[in-house]
Amino acid sequence: MPENLLKKFICIIYPLLTLIYFGFLFCSLIRPGICMTVLMLAGGAAIVLARLVTFKTAEDRVFAVYLIYNILSGIWCVYYGIPFSVYAGEVSTTALPMIFYYAGRSFDEEYTEKYYGGYIIAALGMGLIGAVFYIWPPKFYLDFAFDNMLISVADAPTSRVRMNSLIGSGGMAVYVTYALCLSSYFFRQKEKNKRIAGFIFMGLSLVFAFMANQRSSMFSIILVLIFFGTVDYLTDGNRSKKILFAELGAAAAVVAGIFVFARGVFEKFYLRLISIPEGFGERSESWVAAVNDMKNMWLGDGLGSRGHRAAEFQTYIVADGGLVKLYTEMGIIGTSLIIFLLVLVFLKAVRKPRIVIPEICVIICALLMSIGSNVLEIQICAPVVYFALGRAVKKLNENDPV
């Protein structure tokens, strides 16, 4: 099979996933989780067949060790009493998406643009579906949302607390948060039509993310927007500083406008944002309990041993806290591997941040949201994080000896 055809298939996986969920809305026989796993397996096979797997840099080798460690941890996961089915399920949602690192690591600009464009269109498509049903929730959608545990009561007021779309407010928020980060890839292009598209992508992603009403997503997006402006201010000598002040003024005007003309909307989001410390307090007790309950501090308890699937077999799981979950499952050894990899990437990114702004923003948002949510086990969202990580490694090493 031609290499270019394999790459094109990888680029359309995200649009296909959104279409699968849309089909699930009307046909309960469709199993989105199974379909996603099949698509990701096919994507992994395409990555291997296209010979995209590489071990050229230190980052590549550390990542490969980390991926293998995740897979091998199933040995002690099962040894400590967790059924193999729990581990296998976690492999499909958490470990399988990691292989998309190699797509990001090897794609050139043409296919990177296609992949990012496909992802953004898929995320905004999911957001548009959610917005329509948020404004006008028909009975069949309310029944769908209730049957799939997206809402607790099948009525319109409940469905409007947070925009759930077809994947729940948590997944929706993560989906469009990454889309907002990747929009910077387009609005930093030279072509005017791509820049315009990038700003449109960013605006829609921002609206849909706040409609999803997830604290970690909103907080991450605010930091990303500040990061965009700060990096441009510090690194682009040709960019007029007046533009930065114009952007700050526009942002302040928007916030003031919402405060004056839509006070209820402003208060809703403000109250969610200031409740972030309270959210940490609510979760910290379960985090401490799970860490204290670890079977092996060095190896960890194995992939899946502290996730939702293990609730029947563990006294303490980490339902909301991806970083704590990672530590309890991967232990000091596995956690040190991923920290070491991120340190390598961030140290190089500090020297030339402009070339990896989209990727670094995705990675930072994933880390921030992982403090209070298990975002890296949301199967539909995880692959783009590893793609971005691979892409960052590629860009940061292009002019460095390897």
Side-chain angles (χ1 to χ4, degrees):
M1 187 178 293
E3 181 178 317
N4 288 343
L5 189 58
L6 294 169
K7 291 180 179 179
K8 288 178 181 177
F9 170 72
I10 294 169
C11 293
I12 65 169
I13 287 178
Y14 267 109
L16 288 175
L17 290 176
T18 292
L19 288 174
I20 286 169
Y21 266 100
F22 189 66
F24 178 51
L25 175 63
F26 301 100
C27 179
S28 60
L29 296 177
I30 295 175
R31 293 291 181 264
I34 295 174
C35 292
M36 280 194 291
T37 299
V38 170
L39 275 177
M40 289 186 190
L41 283 170
I47 288 169
V48 174
L49 291 174
R51 294 173 294 181
L52 303 182
V53 178
T54 179
F55 306 100
K56 292 181 180 179
T57 68
E59 293 92 339
D60 295 335
R61 293 186 282 273
V62 173
F63 182 81
V65 173
Y66 178 68
L67 175 56
I68 293 170
Y69 188 87
N70 273 264
I71 302 299
L72 291 179
S73 71
I75 297 173
W76 49 94
C77 178
V78 175
Y79 176 78
Y80 290 136
I82 304 300
F84 180 80
S85 60
V86 171
Y87 160 75
E90 196 74 14
V91 168
S92 70
T93 57
T94 301
L96 182 58
M98 293 181 188
I99 198 169
F100 286 84
Y101 166 92
Y102 296 105
R105 181 67 180 83
S106 302
F107 273 14
D108 58 17
E109 290 296 328
E110 176 187 357
Y111 283 102
T112 296
E113 182 175 317
K114 289 179 179 179
Y115 184 85
Y116 284 167
Y119 177 88
I120 292 172
I121 294 301
L124 296 185
M126 189 73 78
L128 182 61
I129 293 168
V132 169
F133 290 140
Y134 183 90
I135 297 168
W136 174 69
K139 182 66 165 60
F140 75 87
Y141 172 73
L142 294 175
D143 291 338
F144 167 86
F146 179 76
D147 291 342
N148 289 279
M149 296 182 289
L150 303 182
I151 56 178
S152 57
V153 180
D155 61 21
T158 304
S159 72
R160 291 192 178 112
V161 173
R162 300 176 185 176
M163 186 181 76
N164 291 284
S165 189
L166 307 175
I167 56 177
S169 62
M172 189 67 251
V174 177
Y175 212 6
V176 290
T177 296
Y178 297 154
L180 184 141
C181 295
L182 297 179
S183 67
S184 64
Y185 178 87
F186 293 93
F187 66 65
R188 282 179 165 76
Q189 298 295 319
K190 294 180 179 179
E191 296 89 343
K192 183 178 180 180
N193 61 328
K194 291 182 182 179
R195 294 202 306 272
I196 293 173
F199 283 110
I200 293 173
F201 292 156
M202 183 176 69
L204 290 174
S205 299
L206 180 65
V207 171
F208 293 151
F210 273 73
M211 288 178 71
N213 198 18
Q214 291 287 339
R215 291 174 294 196
S216 60
S217 169
M218 293 187 289
F219 178 72
S220 298
I221 283 175
I222 291 170
L223 290 185
V224 163
L225 294 176
I226 294 172
F227 180 75
F228 286 163
T230 302
V231 170
D232 285 344
Y233 181 84
L234 295 176
T235 63
D236 189 354
N238 297 320
R239 191 170 188 262
S240 172
K241 302 304 182 276
K242 293 180 180 179
I243 296 178
L244 176 63
F245 293 114
E247 291 172 348
L248 292 173
V254 170
V255 174
I258 295 174
F259 179 78
V260 173
F261 298 106
R263 181 72 63 88
V265 174
F266 179 88
E267 291 178 350
K268 177 181 178 180
F269 294 132
Y270 176 74
L271 290 173
R272 287 290 289 166
L273 286 169
I274 64 172
S275 68
I276 288 176
E278 179 183 339
F280 289 145
E282 293 170 352
R283 294 175 171 90
S284 60
E285 186 175 341
S286 64
W287 295 344
V288 172
V291 170
N292 290 337
D293 192 51
M294 288 174 66
K295 306 295 189 300
N296 191 310
M297 179 179 66
W298 288 96
L299 291 176
D301 292 350
L303 186 65
S305 62
R306 296 289 169 176
H308 293 84
R309 294 182 179 87
E312 297 179 28
F313 312 100
Q314 289 280 28
T315 305
Y316 302 105
I317 64 167
V318 183
D320 295 292
L323 299 183
V324 178
K325 178 179 178 290
L326 187 151
Y327 172 70
T328 55
E329 293 183 350
M330 296 294 104
I332 293 175
I333 295 174
T335 305
S336 297
L337 285 170
I338 192 62
I339 290 175
F340 181 51
L341 173 60
L342 292 175
V343 168
L344 290 176
V345 171
F346 286 134
L347 286 177
K348 290 181 178 179
V350 168
R351 300 202 304 268
K352 38 188 176 180
R354 283 184 60 82
I355 66 172
V356 286
I357 286 176
E359 293 76 22
I360 292 300
C361 285
V362 169
I363 295 167
I364 290 174
C365 282
L367 292 173
L368 288 173
M369 291 187 290
S370 289
I371 296 173
S373 304
N374 296 355
V375 301
L376 291 178
E377 68 173 13
I378 301 176
Q379 191 178 29
I380 196 172
C381 301
V384 74
V385 178
Y386 295 104
F387 184 98
L389 179 60
R391 173 73 178 170
V393 171
K394 174 182 173 62
K395 295 293 292 181
L396 292 170
N397 284 284
E398 278 182 339
N399 299 318
D400 292 343
V402 297

